[in-house]
Amino acid sequence: MTREIRLNAFDMNCVGHQSPGLWRHPRDKSANYKDLDYWVNLAKTLERGKIDGLFIADVLGVYDVYGGNTESALRNSAQVPVNDPLQLIPTMAHLTENLGFGLTASLSFEHPYTFARRLSTLDHLTKGRVGWNIVTSYLNSGALNIGMPAQTRHDDRYDLAEDYLAVCYKLWEGSWEEGAVVRDREAGIFTHPDKVHPIRHDGPFFKVPGIHLSEPSPQRTPVLYQAGASSRGKDFAGANAECVFVAAPSKAVLKKYVSNVREAAARAGRNPRDVLVFNLQTVIVGETDAEAKRKFDEYRRYVSYEGALTLISGWTGIDFSQFQPDEVLRHRKTDAVQSAVETFTTIDPGKEWTVREMAEWVGIGGFGPLFVGSPETVADLLQEWVEDTDVDGFNLAYAVTPETFEDVVDLLVPELQKRGVFKTEYRPGTLREKLFGKGPRLAAPHPGTRYRDLAALAEPAVLNL
Amino acid sequence: MTREIRLNAFDMNCVGHQSPGLWRHPRDKSANYKDLDYWVNLAKTLERGKIDGLFIADVLGVYDVYGGNTESALRNSAQVPVNDPLQLIPTMAHLTENLGFGLTASLSFEHPYTFARRLSTLDHLTKGRVGWNIVTSYLNSGALNIGMPAQTRHDDRYDLAEDYLAVCYKLWEGSWEEGAVVRDREAGIFTHPDKVHPIRHDGPFFKVPGIHLSEPSPQRTPVLYQAGASSRGKDFAGANAECVFVAAPSKAVLKKYVSNVREAAARAGRNPRDVLVFNLQTVIVGETDAEAKRKFDEYRRYVSYEGALTLISGWTGIDFSQFQPDEVLRHRKTDAVQSAVETFTTIDPGKEWTVREMAEWVGIGGFGPLFVGSPETVADLLQEWVEDTDVDGFNLAYAVTPETFEDVVDLLVPELQKRGVFKTEYRPGTLREKLFGKGPRLAAPHPGTRYRDLAALAEPAVLNL
């Protein structure tokens, strides 16, 4: 196989995840998000196509920057209502065999002691097919509702993330030794108490004296995903992440990002190839280029201008309701607006983007690149991006669900397989083994492995439980 | 039908929930708790028997009072390891049609803003078949791990519970009006913004300004369960609970408790019959009395003395490792020990309980009464208890799982059905409709209904979001 391409499906427990307005399309089923039948069917479709994983985003909060209120988000179902992603995964895993599952969970909304038990439980129930997307940020509207002040400073956030992960690593990797659980019916010993250790964590944000409540799960630490675009974020991802998500709209931006992440991994003493980078991507595939173009034109008619700007406003912190649709934002002078404009400019350096054009770009699948064409055309583009940017795979957003994913599975995947760049069978084992061909546990020099021998950790054991 | 009897199954996402040591029994399958197949099979068995619900207990913490450490709990798998109960329910609900599900969740471990979304999600995914057991207490060993001081004072706990429930009621009942979600594809309106309200909650423990993140689920507020044995606890249950759990080992204790709960409901302005009281109960059923007795004698051989005392120590706060097995505790003078002894004494007023006898009592199914016999014998006893105590039903613990539940479904249920005291079909609709014949929403004068009109609430709207 020449350079293998990885494919994830990107979704959220809400309506029209990154395609504002397309819930109105007659074939869109995303409004069935409350029904497990919808999710089970999606998972089976993805598994039929040997897709690596279904990745479920989450936002705890409402996009209330646009117009300074929640009206547009509600009217356009721009990621609200939004339900808990965690509870979707066990059923999908129970009724499939190989598909991986990625759960998004922000560090800000649950204590690491209880969160670690949730993830161990999920890894048990999925038989080791779960990953965790470590999110360090959040919407201010969500933070306010749990009694937190507005978004913490960027660097503080990563200090907290490091303390949070240390707790998780200690619970997952260190608290229960291999062989602690013996289930010896004759001797009447379920667990050897001397092989289970209180973690005695005494960090700047969290104090966790006790043992982990769950016995070791197949992967112990789930496959770790992260999406850090800042310098500190890339360092954190380079050290900890096994998979990295990015939403780079152009090859230039993506190539630089991939290179930075691999360098950060190398600086952390890891093999730069042990980090898989996935770029956000929308593909509209038809039997022919013309059919794909017809489909795309049909989808575009359903994009909600207001819904798209509601998402962009939330992501950038700029209230786009103050601009006119035909306005070209390079005339605006604030730093935040310039930064948003610069990002769009990388997509097409010669282009002057109007607000309406920005909304239309984001309206079908969000901020990633958009490829429209026959299986051959789209496969050519994906291979070109892999070659030119060193990216490992793509995190596929939908325009219309499950149609976008069905087209990927039925049309694009066979073409990629024919070219020898996409697997025809899943690897056996856990998600980590499927993705990396090794596992099921983290391997040195990943920092999580340093927490296996708690006694050897340099930290003072201030608590003596 | 003469007085209907309700039956719940009682379990936990752990090994040998309330039958310490019986995981060693060759037919016990509780060590398969990490596997969804085990839970799906259990749910299907219970549904075949028209059992009202599967109730999943939870403990976030370790039983570390016995011997002052976690050794015995680990060795005997006395409710550790223990996994998250929430993640079991969607799959069981997806693969059954009528069985209800009760989730235990302590108010101490998750913020009401995020918890309310979890329960709304669960009610959506189960199509309205979920109940919540409101737990106000916790093990100190758990609290320490999330940075809390030891157990809060009893009355403070209920102050917190009332504030917590107010947040939940506002989110579930008040934030989204009926008809807010229109899904109008033509007009491009998913949700009417003017029918979704920020709750502006400004309570003593929680400040939650925003809107609920989930659209209304079939029941909005899940069926509310509670188990409050103190005076304040019974008042809280009388006002809020639709089902109440108790673990009364004798008819005298149970009768008094049922009467107190119904009085508390009446004081809160509710119909005393709108609260269903379930007593913890273990039944060992065989084709004949002799066969049931043989089964019971077989089970008893597997009880772990140390495991049982580990549970009793955790429940009472007394370290039972300090006593000799043949010791009679009435000679001990501390208040806590006397209180424990008094509870046992109600089971058999003439009896002087040794420590070993206490362990053996608790070792098969915990602290509830234990009935051993043919279907006729056990049905007689259950009916007698209903008549003499006014209890509505029983929360059935297992000795050996799923065997105890299979015996109930295959032997006891047909006998109860023959007598006309147990349903032969589930009622249609949500769990609330199945249990009460009305619903799916809370009905006045339940206090949750007062939060439907947020504008009419007397509290100051300090936040203007």
Side-chain angles (χ1 to χ4, degrees), chain A residues 25 31 33 37 58 75 82-84 87 91 94 111 117-118 121 145 183 185 190 210 213-215, chain B residues 25 31 33 37 58 75 82-84 87 91 94 111 117-118 121 145 183 185 190 210 213-215:
Chain A
H25 188 287
Y33 74 102
D37 282 331
D58 191 23
R75 191 162 41 237
V82 55
N83 279 346
D84 179 17
Q87 297 174 57
T91 309
H94 185 65
H111 194 281
R117 188 178 77 141
R118 283 207 207 275
T121 302
N145 284 299
R183 299 172 182 239
R185 289 178 191 244
F190 192 90
L213 292 172
S214 300
E215 61 180 292
Chain B
H25 189 287
Y33 73 102
D37 282 332
D58 191 25
R75 191 161 42 236
V82 54
N83 280 346
D84 179 16
Q87 297 173 59
T91 309
H94 185 65
H111 193 282
R117 187 178 76 141
R118 284 208 207 274
T121 302
N145 285 298
R183 299 172 182 242
R185 288 178 191 242
F190 192 90
L213 292 172
S214 300
E215 61 180 292

Side-chain angles (χ1 to χ4, degrees), chain B residues 53-358:
Chain B
L54 169 60
F55 205 84
I56 311 177
D58 191 25
V59 167
L60 261 158
V62 186
Y63 287 81
D64 60 1
V65 174
Y66 184 86
N69 59 49
T70 61
E71 282 184 25
S72 172
L74 285 163
R75 191 161 42 236
N76 294 288
S77 61
Q79 303 190 358
V80 64
V82 54
N83 280 346
D84 179 16
L86 172 74
Q87 297 173 59
L88 301 175
I89 295 175
T91 309
M92 289 191 283
H94 185 65
L95 297 172
T96 56
E97 285 180 23
N98 287 291
L99 184 67
F101 298 93
L103 174 77
T104 294
S106 168
L107 307 179
S108 308
F109 291 97
E110 187 164 16
H111 193 282
Y113 174 69
T114 55
F115 179 75
R117 187 178 76 141
R118 284 208 207 274
L119 271 275
S120 292
T121 302
L122 189 60
D123 201 49
H124 279 302
L125 295 179
T126 63
K127 302 188 195 297
R129 286 156 54 199
V130 72
W132 167 34
N133 181 25
I134 307 165
V135 172
T136 60
S137 62
Y138 45 81
L139 292 179
N140 285 340
S141 60
L144 281 173
N145 285 298
I146 59 160
M148 290 167 62
Q151 185 80 271
T152 48
R153 283 195 318 115
H154 189 273
D155 281 351
D156 293 349
R157 230 197 273 166
Y158 280 98
D159 290 338
L160 182 139
E162 284 177 5
D163 199 33
Y164 196 106
L165 266 190
V167 174
C168 291
Y169 287 145
K170 288 178 183 177
L171 292 169
W172 288 330
E173 301 288 335
S175 185
W176 294 60
E177 287 181 38
E178 293 295 321
V181 178
V182 290
R183 299 172 182 242
D184 184 337
R185 288 178 191 242
E186 296 306 311
I189 300 173
F190 192 90
T191 304
H192 272 307
D194 52 355
K195 294 191 173 180
V196 181
H197 311 287
I199 68 168
R200 298 190 169 98
H201 182 79
D202 182 26
F205 296 87
F206 304 105
K207 321 279 175 202
V208 182
I211 66 168
H212 191 33
L213 292 172
S214 300
E215 61 180 292
S217 66
Q219 301 184 115
R220 285 186 177 250
T221 298
V223 174
L224 297 174
Y225 293 71
Q226 222 254 327
S230 68
S231 167
R232 178 92 191 259
K234 275 179 283 202
D235 282 345
F236 183 83
N240 292 285
E242 300 173 88
C243 299
V244 168
F245 289 138
V246 56
S250 66
K251 284 199 271 188
V253 172
L254 181 58
K255 183 177 180 173
K256 182 154 175 255
Y257 183 86
V258 173
S259 161
N260 286 346
V261 165
R262 298 212 196 281
E263 284 159 17
R267 274 199 306 280
R270 299 170 66 199
N271 180 344
R273 295 279 150 203
D274 281 350
V275 182
L276 297 177
V277 184
F278 292 79
N279 196 31
L280 183 61
Q281 174 71 51
T282 310
V283 297
I284 311 294
V285 191
E287 298 275 3
T288 62
D289 284 348
E291 194 204 299
K293 180 67 166 54
R294 270 196 304 278
K295 215 181 278 189
F296 174 62
D297 288 338
E298 185 196 275
Y299 294 160
R300 281 178 65 183
R301 297 208 313 273
Y302 291 92
V303 170
S304 162
Y305 172 82
E306 189 186 55
L309 293 188
T310 300
L311 293 180
I312 298 175
S313 298
W315 297 334
T316 61
I318 303 160
D319 179 2
F320 272 73
S321 75
Q322 66 188 304
F323 305 133
Q324 295 305 310
D326 295 322
E327 198 167 345
V328 173
L329 290 193
R330 67 176 165 78
H331 302 301
R332 297 277 178 164
K333 295 298 186 204
T334 73
D335 283 353
V337 171
Q338 280 313 313
S339 167
V341 169
E342 273 165 32
T343 311
F344 275 95
T345 303
T346 65
I347 299 170
D348 181 350
K351 185 173 170 64
E352 299 206 319
W353 290 77
T354 65
V355 170
R356 188 190 306 283
E357 286 166 334
M358 290 180 174

Side-chain angles (χ1 to χ4, degrees), chain A residues 202-417:
Chain A
D202 183 25
F205 296 86
F206 303 106
K207 323 280 176 199
V208 182
I211 66 169
H212 191 33
L213 292 172
S214 300
E215 61 180 292
S217 66
Q219 301 184 114
R220 285 184 178 252
T221 298
V223 174
L224 297 174
Y225 294 71
Q226 222 253 330
S230 69
S231 166
R232 179 92 191 260
K234 275 180 281 202
D235 281 348
F236 183 84
N240 292 285
E242 299 173 88
C243 299
V244 168
F245 288 138
V246 57
S250 65
K251 283 199 271 189
V253 172
L254 181 58
K255 183 176 181 175
K256 181 150 177 260
Y257 184 86
V258 173
S259 161
N260 286 346
V261 166
R262 297 211 197 282
E263 283 160 18
R267 275 198 306 279
R270 299 170 67 198
N271 180 344
R273 294 279 150 202
D274 281 351
V275 182
L276 297 177
V277 183
F278 292 79
N279 196 31
L280 182 62
Q281 175 71 50
T282 309
V283 297
I284 310 297
V285 191
E287 298 276 1
T288 62
D289 284 346
E291 194 203 300
K293 179 67 165 54
R294 270 196 303 277
K295 215 180 279 188
F296 174 62
D297 287 338
E298 185 195 274
Y299 294 160
R300 282 177 64 184
R301 297 208 314 269
Y302 291 91
V303 170
S304 161
Y305 172 81
E306 190 187 53
L309 293 189
T310 301
L311 294 180
I312 298 174
S313 298
W315 297 334
T316 60
I318 303 161
D319 178 2
F320 272 72
S321 75
Q322 66 187 301
F323 306 133
Q324 295 305 308
D326 295 322
E327 198 169 344
V328 174
L329 291 193
R330 68 176 166 77
H331 303 300
R332 297 277 176 163
K333 296 298 185 203
T334 74
D335 283 354
V337 172
Q338 281 312 315
S339 167
V341 169
E342 274 166 30
T343 312
F344 274 95
T345 303
T346 65
I347 298 169
D348 181 350
K351 184 173 172 62
E352 298 206 319
W353 290 77
T354 64
V355 171
R356 188 191 304 283
E357 285 167 333
M358 289 181 175
E360 283 174 359
W361 177 268
V362 164
I364 296 189
F367 201 63
L370 172 70
F371 300 159
V372 179
S374 68
E376 295 76 16
T377 300
V378 172
D380 283 348
L381 283 163
L382 294 179
Q383 284 194 276
E384 180 189 307
W385 276 56
V386 168
E387 274 170 42
D388 292 352
T389 68
D390 194 29
V391 75
D392 296 287
F394 302 94
N395 200 25
L396 299 173
Y398 66 81
V400 163
T401 181
E403 183 167 287
T404 299
F405 296 124
E406 287 167 349
D407 289 343
V408 165
V409 165
D410 294 330
L411 300 173
L412 177 62
V413 163
E415 175 64 25
L416 294 172
Q417 288 171 328

